Amino acid sequence: MGEATNDLIYEVLKAIQNDVAQVRLDVRELKAELQAMRGHMLATHQDVANVYLALDRQDGRLNRIERRLELSEPVL
């Protein structure tokens, strides 16, 4: 087996340092993508909540119309 010289160790350490820097960059990009996905998910959740709110308002209006026209059973 060959002798481990300081130059060889230095070259290996430089390669490792470059690999670690690339991993850091990849992790940073993944975090940014995850934050974007989280933002989209929260926006979708808010949109669904708004749809439920609008549906609830329409249901209340329909119930009032049915009561006025005496189309529904009286509530006991």
Side-chain angles (χ1 to χ4, degrees), residues 57-73:
R57 283 194 308 257
Q58 294 298 320
D59 189 47
R61 292 178 71 191
L62 182 61
N63 286 336
R64 284 196 313 274
I65 291 168
E66 287 177 341
R67 279 196 309 268
R68 280 186 168 177
L69 297 176
E70 298 175 359
L71 295 175
S72 62
E73 299 286 326

Side-chain angles (χ1 to χ4, degrees), residues 7-65:
D7 290 338
L8 179 60
I9 293 172
Y10 178 73
E11 291 300 320
V12 170
L13 288 176
K14 272 185 14 182
I16 291 173
Q17 188 178 27
N18 288 335
D19 289 345
V20 169
Q22 184 61 43
V23 168
R24 275 193 185 133
L25 181 62
D26 292 343
V27 168
R28 207 173 284 139
E29 289 173 357
L30 286 172
K31 282 175 68 176
E33 289 178 18
L34 183 59
Q35 287 173 345
M37 288 174 58
R38 184 180 295 137
H40 288 293
M41 193 168 60
L42 288 172
T44 301
H45 179 74
Q46 185 61 47
D47 289 344
V48 169
N50 290 339
V51 167
Y52 277 118
L53 183 63
L55 184 60
D56 188 48
R57 283 194 308 257
Q58 294 298 320
D59 189 47
R61 292 178 71 191
L62 182 61
N63 286 336
R64 284 196 313 274
I65 291 168

